[in-house]
Amino acid sequence: MALSTLVYRVNNALKTLERTFFGALTNRYPPADDFRLCVDFEPQKQQIINEKSVLEEILRDGFLFAVPKHRRSIEARLRRKFGCPEYVLKILLPKKNLKICNVCGDDHEAGVLCPTCYKRVIDETTTMKEAIQNELKLEPIEEEVVVMYEGEKESKSEEFWKGKRIVEMPKPRPQWFTENLLQKTTQKGANTSDVKPSDLG
């Protein structure tokens, strides 16, 4: 396309746009030579030049909104609303990896600790921490601290309690909280940082 043809089409488009805005605002049409440059300003042409700058004032003082050029397809609208199964799915799906806890009977996801049972462990651990803090205060602890529930002092000899700081709990030990959980491990730590794969076969 030649440059002259392009300039001619742009000039016609600008004239049409000018006439539309001018007619909507002033209820009359501007003269034909709107976009020509006037070199000599005569008194009768001064009013025409002022009327010609109506569109420039509108565009200078206002602002334009960004609007889409094309209408979204039905597939794009549904994908924005419900998501995409390959990436992010926004709709709610039923979970199929639920199991029943053997201790409390509540449902929880497979491979995850039961929230109800774990809440009991958190509460018991918090009670033990408060008892240790109330008993030992802020004194430095140089001896082993042993948490003792009701009726456990007679089950072990006096030599077991020698050289240890005893913190008594004013309640019996829960059935799920066995003494084996507090015993130190007898296995030696691994020297390598390699992790063996699991769930093979």
Side-chain angles (χ1 to χ4, degrees):
M1 183 183 295
L3 182 60
S4 59
T5 306
L6 181 62
V7 172
Y8 177 75
R9 290 187 177 182
V10 171
N11 191 16
N12 287 341
L14 291 176
K15 286 183 179 180
T16 305
L17 184 64
E18 176 75 12
R19 289 174 182 173
T20 303
F21 277 90
F22 197 92
L25 295 176
T26 61
N27 295 327
R28 55 198 180 98
Y29 291 95
D33 51 349
D34 292 338
F35 288 89
R36 296 178 182 177
L37 295 177
C38 298
V39 179
D40 47 350
F41 294 92
E42 298 180 1
Q44 64 269 13
K45 293 184 179 181
Q46 186 69 27
Q47 185 179 0
I48 298 176
I49 297 174
N50 294 336
E51 294 176 353
K52 185 181 64 174
S53 61
V54 175
L55 180 60
E56 297 178 356
E57 293 180 359
I58 295 175
L59 296 178
R60 183 175 63 251
D61 299 336
F63 55 91
L64 301 177
F65 290 97
V67 295
K69 293 183 178 180
H70 306 285
R71 183 169 178 262
R72 287 197 186 99
S73 62
I74 298 178
E75 180 183 0
R77 277 180 279 168
L78 293 177
R79 187 165 58 246
R80 287 170 61 90
K81 184 177 181 180
F82 300 110
C84 184
E86 290 80 10
Y87 299 99
V88 178
L89 196 60
K90 299 180 181 180
I91 61 177
L92 299 178
L93 297 177
K95 289 189 175 182
K96 300 179 180 180
N97 59 341
L98 298 179
K99 60 182 297 186
I100 299 175
C101 180
N102 297 330
V103 179
C104 62
D106 290 348
D107 298 332
H108 64 91
E109 295 184 13
V112 179
L113 292 175
C114 177
T116 307
C117 298
Y118 189 56
K119 182 66 169 54
R120 292 191 303 171
V121 176
I122 292 176
D123 296 341
E124 189 66 24
T125 306
T126 305
T127 307
M128 290 175 58
K129 288 181 180 180
E130 292 177 356
I132 293 173
Q133 187 175 3
N134 295 335
E135 180 70 22
L136 303 180
K137 306 297 181 182
L138 297 177
E139 299 178 3
I141 303 174
E142 299 178 356
E143 299 174 347
E144 183 180 354
V145 179
V146 178
V147 179
M148 182 180 62
Y149 288 85
E150 290 182 357
E152 293 183 352
K153 191 172 184 179
E154 295 79 8
S155 61
K156 295 183 180 180
S157 61
E158 296 182 358
E159 296 180 356
F160 177 79
W161 305 107
K162 287 183 180 180
K164 297 179 181 179
R165 302 288 295 272
I166 301 175
V167 177
E168 298 183 1
M169 298 287 292
K171 62 178 182 178
R173 180 184 290 273
Q175 296 180 357
W176 53 268
F177 188 40
T178 60
E179 297 182 5
N180 296 333
L181 297 176
L182 298 176
Q183 293 180 0
K184 295 181 179 180
T185 180
T186 57
Q187 298 180 357
K188 295 182 179 180
N191 297 328
T192 61
S193 59
D194 298 336
V195 180
K196 295 182 179 180
S198 58
D199 299 335
L200 296 179

